[in-house]
Amino acid sequence: MDNITIAKTFSAMADMLEIVGENRFRVNAYRRAAETVEASTHDVCTRSKKQLMEIPGIGEDLSDKIIEMSKTGVCKECEQLKKKVPEGLLEVLRVESIGPKTARLLWKKFRVVSMMGLERLLSTGKLEGARGFGVKKVANFKRGLEIHERFRGRQPLGYVLPLAEKIIQALRTSKLCEEVEIAGSLRRGKETVGDIDILVTSREPQKAMDFFVVLPQIKMIEQKGETKARVILTSGIACDFRVVAPEAFGAALYYFTGSKEHNVQARTMAVKNGLTVNEYGVFKVQSRKSIKSKVKNVERVAGKTEEEVMRAIGLPWIPPELREDRGEIEAALVGKLPKLIEEKYIRGNLHMHSNWSDGEETMEAMVRASKRKGYEYVALTDHASSMGMVKGTKEHTVDRYIRMVRAVEKKVGGIHVLAGAEVDIEKDGSLYLSDKSLAKLDFVVASMHLYLKQDRATATKRLIRAMENPYVDCIGHCTSRSLGKREPMDLDMEAVMKAAKRTGTIMELNAHWVRLDLNDIHARLAKEYGVTLSISTDAHTVVESSMMRYGIVTARRAWIEKKNVINTLPWKEFQKMLY
DNA sequence: GCCGTTTTCGGCCCGACTGTTTTCAGTCG
């Protein structure tokens, strides 16, 4: 039983409780617990009841449920709920514009218990005209269904961000908007995002709105009001667009950047101080009654910038990547926010491939690309793997590889080039190259590429054995996940980090957006254990050298500072650390 | 279900847009 499974159970319970019409605050408690457990860097199963109850949002009942699940593998109440609510209905809930009320109605009145049932019902045309269901609503369901099928769930950050930046660019050059910013989970740098949020100020809101909805990237308009539009891009992802007044821009940016959980915490704090926060600003309220009665006998205290808004509610500015209600508000209140890493601190890239193995370009091209980025050093780490690869470093070609790297270093000049390898960790934790060969290399990244479905104990033991090899400097993409394609390996991450600390092994945060591995939670755990990180691109092409930004944003989400990352060190200090 | 320098009971963040209604419920973020 792991955090993810427990989080999923709580989340499913929240959905089911909502469908059966439970008190929404109880539903919320389950949702919040799901988020908290998922974000926890520690394995909640190993925690005592007392420790669990110290976690905000986990009380008497939920801590018992966590303990029950870690002991028995199931949650009785969840099983009972499953008997009440058909499981397939939970997926129906994922369809845009179908919420708990509609799902319940579809189920009780029209016997829909699955996506297939929904599809069938929509195709019969029985729904139109039924009480509460007009033509438009049904059309919305159909569209929602279509989007859901073509486009299940969230898209990777590295795929969505460039799309959003193109739109931002168009809006900025249109001269119709003054401020243009990305908000939402994209601004927070989540590894996957559900949609794009764009926020602008404009003196001509109507014109800005009209300009936006006809951008070439836009396939379909879902909503268009005075201040808000929602469209679907040709790539399938939804994009929300909001126009706000300049004096409210900061408040709106803060509000729409989220996360929802962070907002709830911040607002709750504000309410205690006699303030109310919405997307228009921070306001003083005379009494709680005045909020309830919506009588705005209010005085605006802040709104123009995020700094101003946060200051008004008693907080310093908190970087967007931290706004997940993972302790950032508490840290901010006592002045303990981390000084987050920035891309400009990176002085080298310690994982990349050339056409010696499966990269597309020459060693020289890759090194030159790094030099152009202003790096002081770079490690060429071509594969050393049995993985059906004709190319790559073999036992008998190590010397030749090193000679070639030295020649490239000399030829390019002005950048230190390490002769490295990304060596395969075999099924049993041994390495593809002999110690004698590994000893010759400047930088050894060890990664798992095969047997990725091992059970937790076996996989953890395998990885730790690799770390114990004195010639391994770094573990590459620890869980070997591939976003949207391959699940992460099942590893005991606390044991892994302990071993990394003990053996002095660097843990890579692989910056390629398909990997982002370590993820934000694992990287934060590494920091807690005092493990040194490397943030490197795993680039296979020159273009991929620019993946660094995704690694940085993920590191920031993990509260990582410059001092936690080895490749922020100047060359001389880096060298000292390595040998 | 959680939580308490207002409370162990009674609160729990707040508003836009849509669609189907004639004043509002549902959904979403």
Side-chain angles (χ1 to χ4, degrees):
Chain A
M1 186 63 51
D2 56 23
N3 288 0
I4 303 288
T5 312
I6 291 175
K8 277 188 180 156
T9 307
F10 282 160
S11 174
M13 286 176 81
D15 285 344
M16 291 188 281
L17 288 167
E18 208 167 21
I19 289 173
V20 299
E22 251 297 347
N23 164 348
R24 71 194 163 101
F25 298 108
R26 188 171 173 226
V27 171
N28 237 342
Y30 276 92
R31 263 210 185 116
R32 176 155 186 234
E35 299 274 350
T36 310
V37 170
E38 195 181 342
S40 171
T41 51
H42 298 276
D43 206 340
V44 293
C45 293
T46 62
R47 295 289 182 268
S48 69
K49 180 159 178 179
K50 188 164 165 282
Q51 287 170 320
L52 288 171
M53 285 187 59
E54 280 167 12
I55 304 172
I58 309 281
E60 181 80 34
D61 185 88
L62 289 174
S63 58
D64 280 342
K65 288 203 169 71
I66 292 173
I67 291 167
E68 183 195 356
M69 278 188 268
S70 47
K71 275 192 189 145
T72 68
V74 287
C75 168
K76 254 193 219 154
E77 195 177 331
C78 182
E79 296 308 307
Q80 280 164 3
L81 272 168
K82 279 184 191 163
K83 280 180 200 153
K84 279 194 212 162
V85 181
E87 219 170 336
L89 206 55
L90 298 188
E91 206 189 339
V92 172
L93 209 51
R94 301 279 88 84
V95 175
E96 170 132 40
S97 80
I98 294 185
K101 296 281 172 10
T102 310
R104 183 187 168 85
L105 205 64
L106 289 170
W107 166 39
K108 290 286 181 187
K109 230 177 147 178
F110 298 96
R111 307 258 163 252
V112 169
V113 293
S114 67
M115 290 297 278
M116 222 199 283
L118 177 64
E119 264 173 75
R120 220 178 294 139
L121 175 66
L122 288 174
S123 65
T124 61
K126 268 190 210 161
L127 206 50
E128 281 104 331
R131 190 170 168 73
F133 296 97
V135 179
K136 284 190 175 176
K137 222 174 203 181
V138 174
N140 276 344
F141 294 162
K142 283 183 180 163
R143 197 167 58 194
L145 192 69
E146 189 197 324
I147 291 168
H148 180 85
E149 285 188 341
R150 184 158 38 88
F151 190 75
R152 268 163 215 274
R154 306 169 67 87
Q155 293 290 301
L157 173 70
Y159 173 71
V160 179
L161 188 57
L163 293 176
E165 284 172 338
K166 272 202 183 128
I167 295 176
I168 293 288
Q169 195 54 39
L171 288 164
R172 286 202 175 127
T173 50
S174 74
K175 308 269 184 222
L176 289 167
C177 312
E178 295 90 53
E179 306 266 7
V180 181
E181 288 295 337
I182 294 172
S185 54
L186 198 53
R187 181 159 181 250
R188 302 199 310 279
K190 272 195 85 154
E191 62 191 28
T192 60
V193 296
D195 61 12
I196 299 171
D197 286 289
I198 293 173
L199 196 64
V200 307
T201 65
S202 175
R203 273 185 275 273
E204 303 171 286
Q206 201 53 55
K207 271 193 188 166
M209 189 63 84
D210 293 341
F211 176 83
F212 171 75
V213 297
V214 297
L215 283 172
Q217 291 91 336
I218 286 159
K219 185 183 162 196
M220 165 192 342
I221 304 169
E222 270 204 345
Q223 301 179 344
K224 183 173 175 242
E226 277 175 34
T227 64
K228 184 190 166 188
R230 185 177 174 86
V231 301
I232 307 291
L233 303 184
T234 47
S235 57
I237 197 158
C239 178
D240 280 340
F241 179 74
R242 287 184 178 84
V243 187
V244 301
E247 66 270 18
F249 184 70
L253 186 58
Y254 185 44
Y255 185 87
F256 290 117
T257 296
S259 68
K260 200 173 157 194
E261 293 74 22
H262 172 94
N263 285 354
V264 169
Q265 288 303 98
R267 286 159 159 246
T268 306
M269 214 176 87
V271 168
K272 280 179 190 154
N273 297 325
L275 299 166
T276 180
V277 187
N278 57 34
E279 59 261 56
Y280 301 108
V282 182
F283 302 91
K284 256 186 199 156
V285 285
Q286 312 237 308
S287 65
R288 296 194 51 70
K289 216 176 164 189
S290 66
I291 304 178
K292 290 282 167 209
S293 61
K294 308 223 170 194
V295 178
K296 295 274 157 84
N297 51 344
V298 289
E299 175 196 340
R300 175 199 286 275
V301 190
K304 199 166 169 44
T305 66
E306 269 193 334
E307 287 83 351
E308 189 184 284
V309 168
M310 295 173 94
R311 193 165 55 236
I313 58 179
L315 292 169
W317 186 77
I318 300 173
E321 295 93 336
L322 296 184
R323 299 182 202 163
E324 296 287 348
D325 189 24
R326 294 178 183 171
E328 71 281 4
I329 290 181
E330 293 81 351
L333 285 172
V334 296
K336 289 261 169 74
L337 281 177
K339 196 170 175 324
L340 296 180
I341 184 156
E342 295 176 39
E343 188 169 357
K344 65 179 183 196
Y345 297 144
I346 296 291
R347 292 173 187 253
N349 187 359
L350 300 174
H351 187 164
M352 67 173 60
H353 300 267
S354 73
N355 59 8
W356 172 273
S357 61
D358 62 345
E360 283 177 20
E361 305 183 57
T362 61
M363 288 182 181
E364 188 183 330
M366 296 304 284
V367 171
R368 284 195 190 280
S370 291
K371 192 182 168 186
R372 273 199 301 279
K373 286 205 153 282
Y375 292 154
E376 291 174 37
Y377 49 93
V378 58
L380 283 165
T381 53
D382 275 301
H383 286 285
S385 168
S386 57
M387 204 170 47
M389 214 179 274
V390 188
K391 293 163 88 181
T393 305
K394 310 284 164 192
E395 199 61 38
H396 65 280
T397 60
V398 173
D399 292 327
R400 186 146 56 90
Y401 184 75
I402 296 172
R403 278 199 305 276
M404 275 183 71
V405 174
R406 301 282 182 253
V408 168
E409 181 179 35
K410 206 168 169 193
K411 186 172 177 201
V412 175
I415 183 166
H416 301 280
V417 185
L418 301 172
E422 182 182 15
V423 60
D424 260 24
I425 300 173
E426 308 283 16
K427 197 175 175 181
D428 61 355
S430 64
L431 298 166
Y432 178 70
L433 292 177
S434 69
D435 283 3
K436 196 178 149 208
S437 290
L438 293 174
K440 293 177 185 167
L441 293 159
D442 303 324
F443 193 73
V444 175
V445 179
S447 311
M448 297 192 274
H449 292 110
L450 290 170
Y451 308 107
L452 302 180
K453 294 205 167 141
Q454 285 176 325
D455 66 73
R456 174 180 285 218
T458 312
T460 306
K461 209 172 132 200
R462 170 187 179 191
L463 188 61
I464 292 175
R465 186 177 163 203
M467 287 181 185
E468 284 167 346
N469 182 304
Y471 301 107
V472 169
D473 296 297
C474 175
I475 295 297
H477 51 72
C478 187
T479 73
S480 293
R481 71 163 174 181
S482 172
L483 274 174
K485 270 194 201 154
R486 190 170 56 232
E487 289 292 299
M489 288 180 76
D490 188 8
L491 291 164
D492 178 347
M493 290 306 280
E494 297 198 66
V496 168
M497 294 307 167
K498 258 183 232 170
K501 179 67 184 167
R502 172 170 58 81
T503 57
T505 309
I506 300 163
M507 295 298 288
E508 172 185 272
L509 195 171
N510 191 299
H512 198 297
W513 56 262
V514 214
R515 293 198 182 270
L516 294 176
D517 183 9
L518 311 172
N519 67 15
D520 52 356
I521 291 163
H522 295 153
R524 191 165 171 186
L525 183 68
K527 181 184 172 181
E528 278 177 30
Y529 277 93
V531 172
T532 301
L533 299 182
S534 117
I535 306 178
S536 297
T537 63
D538 200 354
H540 286 67
T541 64
V542 166
V543 174
E544 283 181 357
S545 306
S546 62
M547 294 287 174
M548 192 61 87
R549 62 187 302 201
Y550 303 113
I552 296 293
V553 82
T554 303
R556 288 169 64 85
R557 290 177 58 79
W559 297 47
I560 298 300
E561 305 181 78
K562 186 181 169 192
K563 64 183 178 200
N564 307 125
V565 180
I566 192 162
N567 50 326
T568 60
L569 290 175
W571 167 248
K572 285 242 161 76
E573 288 176 45
F574 172 75
Q575 241 184 336
K576 249 185 264 164
M577 283 286 285
L578 208 53
Y579 305 111

